Amino acid sequence: MTSEAFEVLQRVAGPVSRETFERLLSFEAQFRRWAQRINLVAPSTLDDAWNRHVLDSAQLARLDSEAKNWVDLGSGGGFPGLVMGFLLMERKGANIDLVESNRKKTSFLQAIVGEFGLPARIHAKRIEDTYDKIRDVEVVTARALAPLGVLLGLAEPWLTSGAKALFHKGRDYRSEIEESAKLWVFDLIEHQSVVDPQSVVLEIRNLRRV
């Protein structure tokens, strides 16, 4: 990719080193190879994986440039968890926990973490089985995992202990917010996606049950 792509990454994610950019390019190539063998994302999105998945994930770094303890739920093909792992390499002492119950996908996640030495831990478990293992979380992420009301329930132990959520959501996000309001009260900031004009990142704090 060109220097223009590097500049775009910096606009999307904030300050990023050339070394991190090169690592992300190598990761994308590895991702494409693995995706030919196992189902990591929708096949229709592979041709534009850099924009649809890498940049879409990377925008979270700009939304919180200080947090060091992250957890990604339902990490799947590594978005946003692995991408944040690369970006967190530039924050001293930062780390991210990736939770994914699918064994084929966790094999991919572990391979990438090992190859690039990412500050990440893989949990091949159901989310509910990790609450006592993942502590002191500052940011909870999830992308294409579940409706908002369900996500809030899965993330509740962390979100009621001081963490905030950064959840990617698509065009139907408003109906998900309305539906979740039947069970949950929370503070919400809607961040327009810098990659997809029809998508948002929902920043959620101070979660409590109705």
Side-chain angles (χ1 to χ4, degrees):
M1 288 197 181
T2 66
S3 58
E4 181 181 355
F6 178 47
E7 293 172 0
V8 171
L9 176 62
Q10 290 185 308
R11 287 200 299 272
V12 169
V16 176
S17 69
R18 172 68 70 167
E19 184 179 13
T20 294
F21 172 63
E22 297 292 344
R23 287 193 187 110
L24 283 169
L25 290 181
S26 297
F27 158 65
E28 186 204 14
Q30 283 283 56
F31 165 77
R32 288 178 179 276
R33 283 192 285 270
W34 277 77
Q36 293 175 357
R37 303 196 303 273
I38 63 175
N39 182 28
L40 295 174
V41 296
S44 61
T45 67
L46 286 175
D47 287 343
D48 194 25
W50 181 258
N51 291 311
R52 292 285 297 273
H53 300 300
V54 177
L55 290 183
D56 189 44
S57 298
Q59 66 181 307
L60 298 186
R62 182 180 286 279
L63 296 180
D64 195 317
S65 60
E66 302 294 334
K68 294 185 176 182
N69 299 316
W70 297 59
V71 60
D72 183 48
L73 307 182
S75 297
F79 307 109
L82 284 180
V83 174
M84 282 307 305
F86 284 96
L87 297 173
L88 290 175
M89 293 179 81
E90 301 193 2
R91 300 186 194 180
K92 186 176 181 179
N95 64 87
I96 185 166
D97 289 277
L98 279 64
V99 184
E100 172 57 55
S101 61
N102 182 288
R103 292 289 175 170
K104 289 184 178 180
K105 292 178 180 178
T106 56
S107 294
F108 163 70
L109 297 173
Q110 194 64 65
I112 297 298
V113 168
E115 177 178 349
F116 292 95
L118 301 183
R121 294 186 302 171
I122 310 302
H123 302 265
K125 300 176 180 292
R126 296 169 65 249
I127 294 167
E128 298 91 333
D129 295 331
T130 65
Y131 296 143
D132 62 338
K133 298 176 176 61
I134 304 174
R135 301 179 179 275
D136 302 319
V137 172
E138 296 171 78
V139 182
V140 182
T141 66
R143 182 176 182 262
L145 176 61
L148 181 60
V150 175
L151 275 181
L152 294 173
L154 291 171
E156 182 182 12
W158 297 297
L159 297 182
T160 54
S161 299
K164 72 177 179 183
L166 292 174
F167 292 152
H168 284 80
K169 283 296 172 183
R171 67 182 69 184
D172 296 327
Y173 75 94
R174 292 191 185 280
S175 62
E176 290 191 35
I177 293 173
E178 292 176 3
E179 186 67 22
S180 66
K182 297 176 182 178
L183 296 175
W184 305 99
V185 178
F186 48 84
D187 298 336
L188 173 67
I189 300 175
E190 299 176 14
H191 298 281
Q192 180 65 51
S193 170
V194 298
V195 177
D196 180 358
Q198 295 185 323
S199 299
V200 296
V201 176
L202 301 181
E203 179 177 339
I204 294 172
R205 300 175 185 263
N206 299 320
L207 180 70
R208 53 227 186 257
R209 291 181 178 267
V210 171

